[in-house]
Amino acid sequence: MNELFPPAIPPSRIVNPCPPSGAVVRAAAGVLAVCATLAAPVQAAPGKSGKTGVPAAADFASLSGARAGSCSTPLDGILGAMGAPTLRHCAWSQHVEMLYWDTVPQTPNTCLPTPAIAWHRLGAGARTVLRPWSSSWSGQSLQAQHNGVEQAGMVWRQPDGRWSAVLWRWRPSDRIPTRAWQAGHWQDVLKAVHAVDAANPAPRRTPLVAAWLDATNGKPRSLDGDNSVWVSEGSCLGMRSAGLGQAQLHLQYSRDDARLEQRSAMQVMLARRFPAAEWLRTFTLVEPAISGDRTGAKFLAVWKEGSVVQGQLWIPLRDQGGIVRARVSSELPPAEGAHAQELARTRAGLIERELTRLAHAWEARHE
């Protein structure tokens, strides 16, 4: 099969609803009205294809320039978490594929909104790390390349409030003329999916948020101002940033100046501030990512109050004389006795690891 063009319709099967020009002159007014009606363009609803009724970014025939055909390969297993796509089309001798989910599945028992989970799963299917989902977005597009396959997609909210997703994949042909023709249609795909980005505000990124982005790469996550939420090891975590401020007890920037008695005094102050806390990790100096590196001092502590396990990271700054603080919290599931204690210890270990990753990401980006 020619991978450049779809199979042509035999001339004998093409029907012209309007008579030749000479006959038109002699036709009755009623025939002229019928021809005018057939010649009028179809008016599509906003964001919809006039031919198929699907959103413009999922109008396969219009964007690919080919008839929709079946796909010869199984559905990508990574995209299985998105559920069965409403439409899955292939063409160009299997060089182009489109998957469209009219309604992305709901995600119960998670702290992330439905579009954030769908966004993460779409990125996993495209084998690319995506920026966190923002609560201010009504949609977002992605564009990536993996193993020579171009990919483009988006997650967006429909006018009726439901969320939809589409993912396109293109493996360019080895034949130069064919690849050039395909590339022209691929530009139409990119234009369609990127149209959703026009109204999306750019999220503000503080130095701490930039480090958090590095530390949480590849994990389901969302960002709303200074509040960050992500899922790690099956648990939901939330981070609030305190920004710059002065510590109640001065913390030295240099690791060489971080004294044990200073850490003990800081722990006493924390215990007075949180009298109901169960301390699962006392105020501790964080080791650098590479042992022996001359990095700035960073400290963390982890504690439990009620059903919430919390951890905090302190990052003294070299020249500004202030300190950056990040508070991470996680709600524990209902449990009693030894099981509850084990859950708390496990969650405290997770929070300590996440804070350590954040500290190391800060080192790599800002020191």
Side-chain angles (χ1 to χ4, degrees):
M1 181 182 293
N2 188 328
E3 64 182 271
L4 179 56
F5 299 106
I9 301 175
S12 61
R13 297 186 59 187
I14 299 178
V15 178
N16 184 358
C18 297
S21 58
V24 170
V25 175
R26 297 185 299 273
V31 176
L32 287 172
V34 171
C35 291
T37 301
L38 291 171
V42 177
Q43 297 299 319
K48 297 285 186 180
S49 163
K51 296 180 180 179
T52 64
V54 300
D59 188 344
F60 186 83
S62 176
L63 295 178
S64 70
R67 293 177 179 174
S70 59
C71 300
S72 61
T73 58
L75 178 66
D76 187 341
I78 295 180
L79 290 170
M82 292 278 289
T86 308
L87 297 174
R88 186 186 180 212
H89 295 320
C90 289
W92 304 352
S93 295
Q94 304 293 312
H95 279 245
V96 68
E97 176 188 17
M98 184 204 76
L99 302 102
Y100 167 59
W101 293 265
D102 181 67
T103 303
V104 298
Q106 296 291 322
T107 51
N109 303 320
T110 178
C111 55
L112 293 175
T114 295
I117 295 292
W119 178 242
H120 170 74
R121 289 171 175 170
L122 207 66
R127 275 71 172 181
T128 187
V129 174
L130 300 176
R131 71 185 80 178
W133 184 262
S134 172
S135 62
S136 62
W137 291 345
S138 59
Q140 186 60 259
S141 71
L142 69 89
Q143 184 178 348
Q145 184 187 72
H146 177 73
N147 286 345
V149 177
E150 301 288 338
Q151 302 180 83
M154 69 179 192
V155 173
W156 76 103
R157 185 173 54 232
Q158 299 276 17
D160 61 5
R162 75 185 189 280
W163 291 89
S164 299
V166 67
L167 181 64
W168 288 79
R169 289 170 164 170
W170 167 44
R171 180 168 52 86
S173 171
D174 294 332
R175 298 173 55 194
I176 295 178
T178 303
R179 186 166 65 245
W181 178 85
Q182 293 173 348
H185 283 284
W186 186 250
Q187 289 303 312
D188 293 337
V189 172
L190 296 180
K191 183 178 179 181
V193 300
H194 285 315
V196 77
D197 300 335
N200 285 340
R204 184 175 66 93
R205 293 189 178 182
T206 64
L208 181 63
V209 168
W212 175 80
L213 291 173
D214 295 341
T216 57
N217 260 349
K219 297 176 181 177
R221 55 190 183 172
S222 67
L223 180 61
D224 181 11
D226 289 332
N227 295 323
S228 312
V229 180
W230 73 107
V231 176
S232 182
E233 300 179 24
S235 298
C236 183
L237 305 169
M239 184 184 80
R240 291 183 295 108
S241 168
L244 284 174
Q246 295 293 331
Q248 290 177 302
L249 181 67
H250 181 67
L251 298 175
Q252 300 290 342
Y253 171 81
S254 172
R255 294 179 58 86
D256 296 335
D257 295 332
R259 300 285 184 257
L260 178 60
E261 57 271 20
Q262 181 192 46
R263 298 198 292 276
S264 298
M266 189 67 178
Q267 179 59 46
V268 170
M269 293 181 66
L270 289 172
R272 290 174 179 170
R273 182 177 179 184
F274 304 104
E278 175 187 350
W279 294 94
L280 304 172
R281 168 65 74 178
T282 56
F283 191 79
T284 303
L285 180 65
V286 180
E287 290 298 317
I290 301 175
S291 180
D293 266 11
R294 305 286 292 181
T295 63
K298 298 167 195 67
F299 307 88
L300 64 80
V302 183
W303 66 97
K304 174 179 174 292
E305 282 188 287
S307 62
V308 179
V309 179
Q310 302 188 71
Q312 184 160 311
L313 179 68
W314 289 261
I315 306 175
L317 301 179
R318 183 199 300 270
D319 300 321
Q320 295 166 293
I323 187 167
V324 173
R325 290 166 289 181
R327 175 79 61 84
V328 173
S329 3
S330 183
E331 183 86 18
L332 292 171
E336 296 181 358
H339 182 49
Q341 295 177 354
E342 180 59 28
L343 283 175
R345 284 194 294 268
T346 301
R347 192 66 54 85
L350 170 62
I351 289 178
E352 183 173 351
R353 290 191 296 275
E354 293 294 307
L355 289 174
T356 301
R357 292 188 187 103
L358 181 60
H360 293 165
W362 179 279
E363 290 173 1
R365 179 174 282 272
H366 302 301
E367 294 181 1

